[in-house]
Amino acid sequence: MTFSDIFKSSFLENVTSVSLFDMAIALLLAFGLGIFTFLVYKKTYNGVMYSAGFGVTLIALTMITTLVILAVTSNVVLSLGMVGALSIVRFRTAIKEPLDIAFLFWAIAVGIVLAAGMIPLAVIRSVWIGLVLLIFVNRKPHTNPYIAVVNCSDHAAEQRAAAYLKTQTQRMVIKGKTAQKNAIEVNFEVRLKDDNTDFINVLSEMEGVQSAVLVSYNGDYMG
């Protein structure tokens, strides 16, 4: 055994397996595309409560994925160990918005593609995905469903309220009804003709109508 063999280290040999220039370019691009993903997420978010932490996570996830794939592509043995190590990772955070899953996969995909050296694919497709999301997610057609919750004192008032809603909306369907003594609550799913919601004010002032509430509806009740 020679003197050089004593200080020989496989760890030190792997230091130069990925050049500093490649690392700098990949991480800078990952940071830039991560910010772009974050801005698109912030612009298209339409949930109940915006989470700035999730947006920052998209940036970090893009850079971390790039870092991991750079290491994996530089060493076959390391790639096998990395697969085993990552297989024990479990994510327990519940995804509240279905669109958040798309952003998570977007960030991971960008990191993988960048680390693989396919820079034009990562940049061009990221811009394309961002434009598609900005166009389709931000569309707010007048046919969005709303729920009109109307409390009436008797059946006659219910009939008048239903007839009035039918004339003021594009489409009206009864989704639920609760009847108690001297009180009837009816849930109408309505599609508005335009952005004008003044009809709900008139409805609340009709004879026999105790209250009228209009809320947007996308699967959950949201104000």
Side-chain angles (χ1 to χ4, degrees), residues 20-209:
L20 293 177
F21 180 76
D22 291 342
M23 285 189 290
I25 292 297
L27 291 177
L28 283 175
L29 286 173
F31 178 70
L33 292 178
I35 290 180
F36 177 72
T37 306
F38 165 70
L39 293 176
V40 174
Y41 170 75
K42 185 177 181 180
K43 188 69 175 178
T44 58
Y45 185 80
N46 56 5
V48 178
M49 185 176 295
Y50 170 74
S51 174
F54 183 82
V56 176
T57 301
L58 294 175
I59 302 176
L61 187 60
T62 306
M63 299 181 67
I64 292 171
T65 305
T66 302
L67 181 66
V68 172
I69 300 301
L70 279 175
V72 168
T73 55
S74 64
N75 192 313
V76 177
V77 178
L78 179 62
S79 65
L80 297 177
M82 191 72 71
V83 171
L86 294 178
S87 65
I88 66 174
V89 177
R90 296 291 185 270
F91 297 97
R92 301 295 185 183
T93 303
I95 302 297
K96 297 180 180 180
E97 296 292 332
L99 193 60
D100 291 352
I101 301 176
F103 281 97
L104 288 174
F105 275 104
W106 182 9
I108 295 172
V110 168
I112 294 174
V113 174
L114 279 177
M118 303 177 186
I119 296 177
L121 176 62
V123 174
I124 295 174
R125 289 308 178 186
S126 290
V127 173
W128 176 256
I129 293 172
L131 291 176
V132 169
L133 291 174
L134 288 172
I135 292 173
F136 287 94
V137 176
N138 285 337
R139 291 181 62 187
K140 295 180 180 179
H142 299 314
T143 56
N144 278 345
Y146 287 82
I147 293 293
V149 182
V150 184
N151 289 287
C152 305
S153 59
D154 51 33
H155 180 68
E158 175 193 348
Q159 293 295 99
R160 288 193 297 270
Y164 177 74
L165 278 176
K166 199 167 187 178
T167 61
Q168 297 298 315
T169 58
Q170 183 176 342
R171 182 173 178 266
M172 187 269 293
V173 178
I174 297 178
K175 301 296 289 185
K177 180 178 179 179
T178 303
Q180 298 178 354
K181 188 176 181 179
N182 298 326
I184 301 174
E185 180 181 284
V186 187
N187 298 328
F188 299 95
E189 179 184 329
V190 298
R191 305 292 177 115
L192 305 185
K193 296 179 180 179
D194 49 38
D195 291 329
N196 189 3
T197 59
D198 290 341
F199 67 90
I200 204 71
N201 301 335
V202 178
L203 180 61
S204 65
E205 296 175 356
M206 292 180 61
E207 182 182 356
V209 176

